[in-house]
Amino acid sequence: MVDRFSISRREQTVYRAKQPSIHAVALAAAMMALVTSPGSRAEEPTTPMVLGAVMKQLGRDMQAVTGAISREDWSRVEDLAPKLVRRDEPPFTEKMRILARLGTDLGKFRSFDTQVHDAANSMGDAAMRGDGLAVINAFARVQQACLGCHQGFRKSFMEHFQTKR
């Protein structure tokens, strides 16, 4: 620990700025307790999660990419690629529920997400160049990352959050 009396006032300000406020820590603890409490699952709203709608839209976008590839419509693939990268996100409370469910698997989940982002960006770049083979290879990497994530998480998410496909 740094002795606050042996550093300048500016350094004290920087040091304090790096420390989380007690309010932020308390809020985070309260949110995690709410999300992970034993009775929280029974109290969850029965409305569908936004994540389901996001995944359905991604499915439609993936089908559109497949169609554009089959027609060798590289400009359409280029237009669609960012939709696989920049998508709607669930609201904060839903994100907290998802993060709590992921627990120690968060790194694995984020890895799949990063793989999708990187491959979709590569696919868009290849489409811009008109390089069909590179588009197809990048799209295959997108699909492989999606499949890995679905095989690793879909069933448990659907069971935990009681969603229907």
Side-chain angles (χ1 to χ4, degrees), residues 27-59:
L27 178 61
M31 291 294 294
M32 288 308 293
L34 178 67
V35 170
T36 60
S37 66
S40 67
R41 187 163 181 218
E43 298 167 11
E44 290 176 2
T46 57
T47 57
M49 293 181 67
V50 172
L51 179 61
V54 169
M55 296 307 292
K56 284 180 182 176
Q57 183 58 52
L58 276 170

Side-chain angles (χ1 to χ4, degrees), residues 142-161:
V142 170
Q143 290 179 311
Q144 289 165 353
C146 289
L147 178 64
C149 190
H150 293 173
Q151 287 179 338
F153 298 103
R154 185 189 315 192
K155 184 178 180 200
S156 68
F157 265 51
M158 291 176 75
E159 289 171 355
H160 180 77
F161 296 115

Side-chain angles (χ1 to χ4, degrees), residues 72-115:
E72 298 180 49
D73 185 350
W74 308 130
S75 64
R76 181 73 177 134
V77 172
E78 183 182 357
D79 291 342
L80 289 165
K83 291 183 176 189
L84 304 179
V85 176
R86 290 184 300 272
R87 52 193 178 265
D88 292 335
E89 292 195 12
F92 178 75
T93 54
E94 186 172 317
K95 276 186 179 181
M96 291 298 293
R97 290 172 57 204
I98 292 167
L99 291 173
R101 178 68 184 151
L102 286 168
T104 59
D105 285 332
L106 178 60
K108 184 178 176 185
F109 185 83
R110 285 202 171 140
S111 174
F112 286 127
D113 189 51
T114 299
Q115 290 173 41

